[in-house]
Amino acid sequence: MKYDYLIVGAGLYGATFAHLAKKAGKTCLVIDRRPHIGGNIYCENVEGINVHKYGAHIFHTSNKKVWDFVNSIVEFNRYTNSPVANYKGDYFNLPFNMNTFYQMWGVKTPAEAKAKIEEQKQDAVEKMKAAGIEEPRNLEEQAILLIGKDIYEKLIKGYTEKQWGRPATEIPAFIIKRLPVRFVYDNNYFNDKYQGIPIGGYNKLIEGLLEGTEVQCNIDFLSNKEQYEDLADKILFTGAIDEFFGYKFGKLAYRTISFEHEVHEVSNYQGNAVINYTEAEVPYTRIIEHKHFEMFGEEVEKNPKTIISKEYSTEWKEGMEPYYPINDAENNALYQQYKALADQNEKYIFGGRLAEYKYYDMAPVVELVMEKFKNHL
Ligand code: UDP
């Protein structure tokens, strides 16, 4: 055996694993079927702007160890995510906070906002009571209980159904709980203590994590399995678990995203990194203006051009890049069948969003890998 670990996938999970394994004195080979490292956090520099090629990523965590760790690889900037929602031409702040409530209803104090939300959710509460339902069964019920029907209808329903391609009544409730609801005038999308973007872009993070580790791109592990399997004692697989097992129990559902990237000859196109289009009629879910992740104040105007990306969400089919696992009951049950097989395989570790079929953010991925190596750190 030439290496302690063969790491399949040079995304954040694989790269963090390689870094910590190396620190623990292990040897690793990292392979990836794409022509570049970084998985979905990979950026491409166009016109001096880092373009998040596979969708916008904002690092956020409350775990100081995770924050210190990533900052030891590359320093992070002070970017704070404050998306704006465009509903039929009207603008609302996100996440749902006093600014949103004022824009939606004209209420000014937390007490007024709370009273309004109580009134807005009354019908739904009564319906659930009459039906003997205690816990919200899906995203629609959960959203109305959290925030009432106006916000659900204008800022959630259309966006959610475009993103997930199914009715909100068929989407798991936990997804809407990712978004904070707060009764202060605070547009920070995350409640976490720390957030930001690596200075110089995400490629710096991945390159830093993989420094000193052998990496081969353009290698499709599953079509070269015999050749690569014998190179290492242990294999970390970070690809899709159903694909690994040849879809033998059937295909897991994923959403995929496609992008229309545009260069505009203006220094500032939309005045914010993220604008969500929350009505059903606009075909894309959001427009990202990449420079705002890394350029602030006068820096924005210094570059006379800007890059924007319109994001379209579609159902995944074989040959496309899977992005979001659909963690509904049916798919989770199918995943459990694959997991049972995976658990019997001592040579392999399955980790990350695709191999664990879980809607992970970046920080929990780093945290998971750090946890694996905690005895060595
Ligand atoms: N969401 C919404 N309206 C918005 C933004 C988000 O209804 O303007 C809902 C939607 O269901 C989405 C979920 O909140 O799937 C989680 O959004 P998040 O921004 O966390 O998704 P990500 O950035 O991971 O795509």
Side-chain angles (χ1 to χ4, degrees):
M1 296 288 172
K2 216 171 148 202
Y3 303 94
D4 294 310
Y5 290 105
L6 170 69
I7 296 172
V8 182
L12 186 60
Y13 196 108
T16 306
F17 194 101
H19 183 87
L20 294 180
K22 182 167 179 280
K23 245 189 180 162
K26 307 286 183 192
T27 53
C28 301
L29 169 65
V30 179
I31 61 172
D32 200 294
R33 68 180 168 195
R34 292 188 193 170
H36 58 74
I37 57 174
N40 282 2
I41 67 173
Y42 171 74
C43 292
E44 193 175 286
N45 196 284
V46 183
E47 306 281 357
I49 298 161
N50 286 319
V51 176
H52 296 221
K53 284 266 303 191
Y54 301 94
H57 284 78
I58 299 118
F59 199 96
H60 57 98
T61 183
S62 290
N63 183 327
K64 188 167 188 313
K65 283 190 184 145
V66 168
W67 186 243
D68 287 346
F69 171 71
V70 293
N71 274 273
S72 75
I73 307 292
V74 52
E75 198 185 333
F76 278 58
N77 70 20
R78 61 99 177 137
Y79 176 77
T80 303
N81 200 30
S82 312
V84 172
N86 178 328
Y87 176 76
K88 302 198 171 178
D90 285 334
Y91 277 57
F92 298 91
N93 287 111
L94 294 172
F96 311 122
N97 75 91
M98 286 306 297
N99 288 304
T100 331
F101 308 143
Y102 175 68
Q103 291 148 350
M104 189 66 67
W105 301 309
V107 295
K108 293 175 185 162
T109 65
E112 285 168 11
K114 284 179 186 169
K116 190 76 192 170
I117 291 172
E118 278 308 308
E119 175 195 315
Q120 287 265 316
K121 67 186 214 194
Q122 209 44 50
D123 281 354
V125 170
E126 277 164 24
K127 264 190 208 146
M128 279 176 66
K129 234 189 219 156
I133 300 158
E134 280 177 17
E135 289 297 313
R137 291 166 301 179
N138 54 55
L139 192 145
E140 177 170 296
E141 287 178 0
Q142 178 70 77
I144 296 174
L145 287 195
L146 274 178
I147 205 72
K149 68 173 181 359
D150 286 355
I151 290 185
Y152 170 68
E153 277 160 16
K154 292 185 173 173
L155 304 185
I156 299 177
K157 187 177 189 323
Y159 185 94
T160 297
E161 295 187 342
K162 281 191 287 186
Q163 168 154 7
W164 296 99
R166 26 186 70 58
T169 48
E170 289 171 22
I171 300 167
F174 80 87
I175 287 176
I176 200 65
K177 288 187 145 175
R178 291 169 57 84
L179 273 56
V181 175
R182 53 170 96 96
F183 295 91
V184 286
Y185 288 90
D186 175 3
N187 297 328
N188 185 342
Y189 201 57
F190 303 115
N191 280 329
D192 281 320
K193 203 160 163 188
Y194 312 104
Q195 75 177 288
I197 307 278
I199 295 174
Y202 279 97
N203 295 2
K204 290 252 184 299
L205 174 63
I206 294 290
E207 285 159 11
L209 287 169
L210 289 174
E211 202 180 294
T213 295
E214 198 184 328
V215 181
Q216 297 175 3
C217 286
N218 296 307
I219 304 286
D220 182 11
F221 172 71
L222 294 177
S223 359
N224 295 279
K225 214 164 158 202
E226 284 73 42
Q227 181 191 344
Y228 277 88
E229 216 168 24
D230 291 337
L231 288 180
D233 293 320
K234 282 240 168 216
I235 301 177
L236 166 67
F237 185 80
T238 68
I241 192 164
D242 54 344
E243 186 183 4
F244 180 88
F245 289 110
Y247 305 110
K248 67 189 291 180
F249 302 127
K251 288 192 174 114
L252 289 163
Y254 300 90
R255 293 295 284 175
T256 192
I257 308 176
S258 61
F259 300 94
E260 270 173 16
H261 303 289
E262 298 169 6
V263 181
H264 286 259
E265 306 281 331
V266 288
S267 57
N268 191 356
Y269 178 83
Q270 62 180 15
N272 204 27
V274 186
I275 298 196
N276 292 355
Y277 286 76
T278 59
E279 73 207 67
E281 291 74 18
V282 174
Y284 42 84
T285 51
R286 50 190 169 195
I287 299 184
I288 305 296
E289 185 172 11
H290 299 271
K291 69 179 353 181
H292 296 299
F293 289 122
E294 294 183 59
M295 297 176 189
F296 307 99
E298 287 167 0
E299 287 166 338
V300 174
E301 311 297 330
K302 268 192 204 147
N303 185 334
K305 294 188 183 179
T306 194
I307 320 281
I308 63 154
S309 303
K310 291 179 180 149
E311 212 172 295
Y312 297 83
S313 182
T314 49
E315 200 68 8
W316 172 88
K317 293 200 180 56
E318 216 175 323
M320 294 174 164
E321 290 291 352
Y323 280 72
Y324 293 93
I326 312 272
N327 285 117
D328 59 14
E330 191 188 330
N331 283 290
N332 285 345
L334 180 55
Y335 164 69
Q336 285 305 326
Q337 285 184 270
Y338 284 116
K339 185 176 184 301
L341 268 193
D343 286 345
Q344 289 164 16
N345 194 329
E346 299 234 315
K347 189 171 168 105
Y348 278 84
I349 302 163
F350 291 84
R353 198 184 260 218
L354 299 178
E356 295 178 57
Y357 198 64
K358 196 162 170 208
Y359 189 0
Y360 280 130
D361 288 329
M362 289 180 284
V365 162
V366 173
E367 195 171 338
L368 266 172
V369 183
M370 286 177 80
E371 189 60 27
K372 277 195 189 295
F373 284 93
K374 72 168 187 265
N375 296 334
H376 293 284
L377 292 174

